[in-house]
C-alpha cells in the first residue's frame, strides 16, 4: 500500500521534472516545478522529516516558485524565438543525451550495488522541530548564523542588481 | 508498517537529478536553466533526507536546511541578474550574453 503511494508520488515527481524541461512556455515550466517541489515535500514527510517538509512548502513552493512566476510575468512569459527545446545546437543535444544516459546508468549502478540494510528503529521524534532545533542551535550554531549573513548579502545584492539602469 | 527501502528514494532522486542536468544542457532560456538547477538541488536534498533516515542521524537534515538557505539566496541574486540581463540586452537567451567578450 505504502509502496503504491510511493510509486504514484514518484511518477508525479517525474512528470513535473520532465514538464520543466520540455515546456514551451516558461509559466508552464514554473507550474511543473511547483508540482515537483510539492511532491518532494510529501516525500520528506514520509521520510520522517516533518520540519523540512514544511520548510520545503514555505520556501520552495511558497517563495521560490512565486518569485519565478513574478519574474516571468515581469519580463513576458512568451519565449523568444530560438529558445525552445529544439532550438539548441545539434551537437549540444546529442552530447547532453549521451551524458545524461551515462549519468543515469552510473548513478543507478552505484545505488543498486551499494545495497543498504533495511532501515531499523527510528526514534519517534526524529526530524521534528524540537530535534532539529536542538542540533541546529548547539552543534551547528555557527553555520546557522553565517546563513543569516549570506541571506542579508543576497538580499542587498538582489536589490542592487535588479534596479532599473538610470540611463541607457 | 513496512517502510520503503532507501534505495528507491535514491534512484528517484538520481533520475530527477539527471533530468535537471539534461535541462541545463539543452535549454537556452536562463529562467528554465535556473529552474532546472533548483530541481537538481532538490534531488540532492531528497538524497540527504533519505540517507539521514537510513542512518538515523540528523546531520543530513541540517545540511538540507543549509542547502535551502543557499538556494533561496541563489534564486534572489540569479533572478536579479536575469532582470538586469533583460534590461540591458532584452534577452533571456544565455547564448547571447556575451557582454564581456570585447
Amino acid at each position: 500500500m505504502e509502496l503504491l503511494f510511493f510509486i504514484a508520488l514518484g511518477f508525479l515527481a517525474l512528470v513535473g521534472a520532465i514538464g520543466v524541461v520540455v515546456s514551451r512556455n516558461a509559466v508552464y515550466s514554473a507550474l511543473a516545478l511547483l508540482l515537483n517541489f510539492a511532491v518532494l515535500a510529501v516525500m520528506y514527510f514520509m521520510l520522517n522529516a516533518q520540519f523540512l517538509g514544511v520548510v520545503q512548502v514555505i520556501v520552495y513552493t511558497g517563495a521560490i516558485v512565486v518569485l519565478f512566476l513574478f519574474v516571468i510575468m515581469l519580463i513576458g512569459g512568451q519565449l523568444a524565438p530560438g529558445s525552445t527545446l529544439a532550438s539548441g545546437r545539434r551537437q549540444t543535444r546529442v552530447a547532453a543525451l549521451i551524458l545524461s544516459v551515462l549519468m543515469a546508468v552510473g548513478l543507478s549502478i552505484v545505488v543498486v550495488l551499494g545495497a543498504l540494510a533495511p532501515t531499523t528503529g527510528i526514534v519517534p521524534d526524529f526530524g521534528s522541530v524540537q530535534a532539529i532545533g536542538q542540533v541546529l542551535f548547539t552543534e551547528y550554531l555557527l553555520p546557522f548564523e553565517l546563513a543569516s549573513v549570506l541571506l542579508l548579502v543576497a538580499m542587498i545584492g538582489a536589490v542592487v542588481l535588479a534596479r532599473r539602469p538610470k540611463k541607457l | 508498517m513496512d517502510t520503503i527501502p532507501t534505495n528507491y528514494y535514491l534512484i528517484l532522486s538520481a533520475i530527477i537529478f539527471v533530468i535537471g542536468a539534461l535541462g541545463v544542457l539543452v535549454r537556452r532560456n536562463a529562467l528554465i536553466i535556473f529552474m532546472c538547477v533548483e530541481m537538481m538541488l532538490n534531488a540532492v536534498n531528497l538524497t540527504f533526507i533519505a540517507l539521514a533516515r537510513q542512518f538515523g542521524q540528523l546531520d543530513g537534515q541540517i545540511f538540507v536546511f543549509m542547502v535551502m538557505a543557499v538556494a533561496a539566496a541563489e534564486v534572489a541574486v540569479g533572478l536579479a541578474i536575469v532582470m538586469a540581463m533583460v534590461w540591458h540586452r532584452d534577452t533571456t537567451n544565455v547564448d547571447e550574453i556575451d557582454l564581456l567578450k570585447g
Side-chain angles (χ1 to χ4, degrees), chain B residues 12-52:
Chain B
L12 175 69
S13 126
I15 297 173
I16 295 179
F17 186 88
V18 169
I19 293 175
L22 189 65
V24 170
L25 290 172
V26 173
R27 297 300 298 251
R28 297 268 62 90
N29 184 326
L31 281 170
I32 309 265
I33 289 178
F34 258 122
M35 291 183 203
C36 290
V37 170
E38 290 303 313
M39 215 159 68
M40 289 160 79
L41 284 172
N42 257 282
V44 176
N45 281 354
L46 183 63
T47 314
F48 271 120
I49 291 182
L51 287 174

Side-chain angles (χ1 to χ4, degrees), chain A residues 14 17 19 22-23 43 45 54 58 63-64 68 83 89 97 100 103 105 119 151-152 158 168:
Chain A
L14 290 183
V22 300
S23 293
M43 284 196 171
F45 278 105
V54 173
I58 294 174
I64 289 184
F68 268 116
S83 64
R89 284 199 204 88
L97 205 65
S100 333
M103 193 149 56
V105 170
T119 318
L151 287 173
L152 177 69
L168 260 180

Side-chain angles (χ1 to χ4, degrees), chain A residues 2 6 21 23 29 36-37 43-44 48 52 55-56 60 74 79 85 100 117 122 126 132 140 154 162 164, chain B residues 2 4 8-9 12 18 22 26-27 29 32 38-39 42 45 52-54 59 61 68 71 73 83 87:
Chain A
E2 203 179 352
F6 174 80
V21 177
S23 293
S29 281
N36 190 17
F37 286 170
M43 284 196 171
Y44 292 175
N48 285 74
L52 286 174
V55 171
Q56 166 92 359
Y60 274 105
L74 215 53
L79 300 180
L85 186 59
S100 333
I122 289 288
F126 184 76
I132 295 263
Y140 291 96
R164 193 180 279 276
Chain B
D2 58 339
I4 295 155
Y8 292 5
Y9 286 103
L12 175 69
V18 169
L22 189 65
V26 173
R27 297 300 298 251
N29 184 326
I32 309 265
E38 290 303 313
M39 215 159 68
N42 257 282
N45 281 354
R53 186 194 63 162
Q54 168 76 28
D59 304 286
Q61 297 199 2
M68 282 177 177
M83 298 293 300
W87 276 323

